[in-house]
Amino acid sequence: MEFENSFNVAVPVDEAWAILTDIERIAPCMPGAELTEIVDENSFRGKVSVRLGPVALTFQGDAKFEERDDSGHSARVKAQGRDAKGRGGANANVDFRLVPADDGTTEVQIRTDLQLSGSVAQYGRGVGMIKDVAGQLIGRFAAALHEQIAAERGADEAAAETPEETAEPAPSPAAKPISGFSLGASVMWNAVLRWLKGLFGARSGA
């Protein structure tokens, strides 16, 4: 299945590119994610924990930059992982591109091609539900990234005002498991809205 998402970063495109390609720096911003190993500058290992109602999934796998255009601010990342309890896996090709906005910020455009296998595919039935989950995760990632950038800028400004003291670096936000209740409730609500829209649309067309 394929879907697209986007979000904005409140820094110029060159700075946003440097931040988003620093995997060690941004990994704590992704809900439920943990970077476990940096294989080389383009390859990484980690795990992602997701709870949907009573079902807890932990994917362990690898990700690597298959393509990377630093001057054009675009890249392709290939990721694959298996559930720790053997309930299936996920494979994804993620293309992302950074576009400068008129106000000096940056729009991050993401296109994902995702394939689920095994029992995991049963939990993710319906493209609409997967899109809702992806939108929730990217929204939380963008919010955490915004907080991280703001904290780092605040630390830099404080250091500039008191150059005689050594400012402590701002701590990276700790990775938190994805809340099954809040995420699941949002996804279910969006599914209900789609169902109602289809129902009343069908009646009006009758």
Side-chain angles (χ1 to χ4, degrees), residues 7-28:
F7 64 93
N8 278 75
V9 182
V11 294
V13 66
D14 287 334
E15 185 177 350
W17 180 255
I19 293 171
L20 291 169
T21 53
D22 186 344
I23 303 301
E24 190 172 13
R25 181 179 180 182
I26 67 171

Side-chain angles (χ1 to χ4, degrees), residues 9-12 15-16 19 25 104-105 146-161 170:
V9 182
V11 294
E15 185 177 350
I19 293 171
R25 181 179 180 182
T105 63
H146 174 77
E147 291 179 2
Q148 184 189 85
I149 292 172
E152 291 174 350
R153 285 190 166 182
D156 290 342
E157 291 173 359
E161 292 174 359

Side-chain angles (χ1 to χ4, degrees), residues 158-167:
E161 292 174 359
T162 57
E164 70 280 359
E165 298 179 2
T166 302

Side-chain angles (χ1 to χ4, degrees), residues 1 52 55 57 59 82-83 87-90 114-127 129-130:
M1 65 186 72
L52 296 176
V55 181
L57 301 171
F59 292 99
R82 302 288 300 177
D83 175 62
R87 290 171 291 185
L114 174 67
Q115 301 295 328
L116 301 176
S117 61
S119 299
V120 171
Q122 302 293 325
Y123 307 141
R125 284 180 176 176
V127 176
M129 179 172 288
I130 295 296

